Amino acid sequence: GDSVTQTEGLVTLTEGLPVMLNCTYQTAYSTFLFWYVQHLNEAPKLLLKSSTDNKRTEHQGFHATLHKSSSSFHLQKSSAQLSDSALYYCALSDRTGGADRLTFGKGTQLIIQP
Amino acid sequence: EAAVTQSPRNKVTVTGGNVTLSCRQTNSHNYMYWYRQDTGHGLRLIHYSYGAGNLQIGDVPDGYKATRTTQEDFFLLLELASPSQTSLYFCASRQINNQAPLFGEGTRLSVL
């Protein structure tokens, strides 16, 4: 079945350094990929989405490029900020059995230190 | 403004208890989803639906029933709650598969 694999567990970075959170996926269907961000005690919120191969998408300083050849959709930011500390999810949307489902990875907890 | 509303926000029950979690969306979305969130497991899909009367099974359906009574309302039922069902539950909705789902604020359930 479909699956999403993210950078495992906890990533701790110093403010100002670049961020890269990995996401790879497996699916037999047409592909929409999403990155969600969840701050403490809040609901997940959309950060980025893409379905176009090799096209960079950007929002709020983050960017990601969907590469269908390698089944990847890594999240990047050039310079981390303290406010980027949050839980990040990569998610895959597809049509399985005629209904549109959304499968999430296990999440990556990002902590930015001063 | 698009919204997904969950109730209750917090719930405590005992093992073997009967619990219903409610979700309402006023966005005219076709799709609604129930997820549970647990540390180390992320968001896992329990059940979902693409319209009133429709139900699709997700990845972790055991111990859960769901019912979509109207376009707006999607319920998650735990008929014999167990401590393993202690979790944070999220409802989400969207129109079609290229849209990002909008999430509710979550329901924290504790089964003692």
Side-chain angles (χ1 to χ4, degrees):
Chain A
D2 298 335
S3 66
V4 176
T5 303
Q6 295 184 230
T7 301
E8 289 278 326
L10 178 65
V11 172
T12 304
L13 292 172
T14 301
E15 188 179 16
L17 291 182
V19 177
M20 181 159 174
L21 304 183
N22 289 339
C23 173
T24 57
Y25 62 90
Q26 286 186 309
T27 181
Y29 302 93
S30 62
T31 309
F32 296 93
L33 270 293
F34 305 88
W35 275 102
Y36 275 78
V37 58
Q38 185 180 19
H39 289 96
L40 192 62
N41 297 323
E42 294 184 6
K45 291 183 173 61
L46 177 68
L47 184 57
L48 293 170
K49 72 172 187 178
S50 180
S51 61
T52 306
D53 198 10
N54 298 317
K55 181 179 178 182
R56 174 171 162 145
T57 182
E58 301 188 38
H59 186 61
Q60 297 182 340
F62 287 89
H63 63 92
T65 302
L66 177 59
H67 292 295
K68 294 186 179 181
S69 61
S70 58
S71 299
S72 67
F73 190 54
H74 305 321
L75 183 67
Q76 299 181 69
K77 188 177 185 183
S78 59
S79 176
Q81 298 177 288
L82 295 176
S83 58
D84 294 331
S85 294
L87 181 59
Y88 291 81
Y89 284 107
C90 184
L92 167 69
S93 181
D94 68 79
R95 174 158 289 204
T96 300
D100 295 338
R101 54 180 288 154
L102 190 68
T103 302
F104 285 81
K106 293 185 177 181
T108 304
Q109 183 72 51
L110 178 64
I111 296 177
I112 308 300
Q113 323 180 310
Chain B
E1 184 177 312
V4 179
T5 304
Q6 293 184 232
S7 62
R9 295 295 310 279
N10 293 280
K11 177 72 177 179
V12 179
T13 191
V14 295
T15 300
N18 197 322
V19 177
T20 298
L21 306 185
S22 301
C23 178
R24 165 163 280 209
Q25 55 95 4
T26 55
N27 316 310
S28 299
H29 286 168
N30 288 329
Y31 284 86
M32 296 184 75
Y33 305 84
W34 276 108
Y35 290 90
R36 60 177 291 173
Q37 182 178 36
D38 305 284
T39 303
H41 294 280
L43 287 161
R44 292 182 289 176
L45 183 62
I46 304 171
H47 290 297
Y48 61 113
S49 166
Y50 58 75
N54 175 265
L55 182 64
Q56 302 290 320
I57 295 173
D59 298 319
V60 290
D62 292 347
Y64 302 96
K65 292 184 180 179
T67 179
R68 181 89 176 268
T69 55
T70 64
Q71 182 79 350
E72 294 78 21
D73 297 303
F74 195 31
F75 300 94
L76 187 67
L77 294 79
L78 293 73
E79 294 184 332
L80 286 171
S82 74
S84 65
Q85 294 176 308
T86 293
S87 187
L88 179 58
Y89 291 86
F90 283 103
C91 177
S93 75
R94 66 174 174 175
Q95 181 63 13
I96 53 175
N97 74 338
N98 65 348
Q99 282 188 341
L102 180 66
F103 280 81
E105 293 302 307
T107 295
R108 190 168 296 279
L109 174 67
S110 296
V111 184
L112 305 178

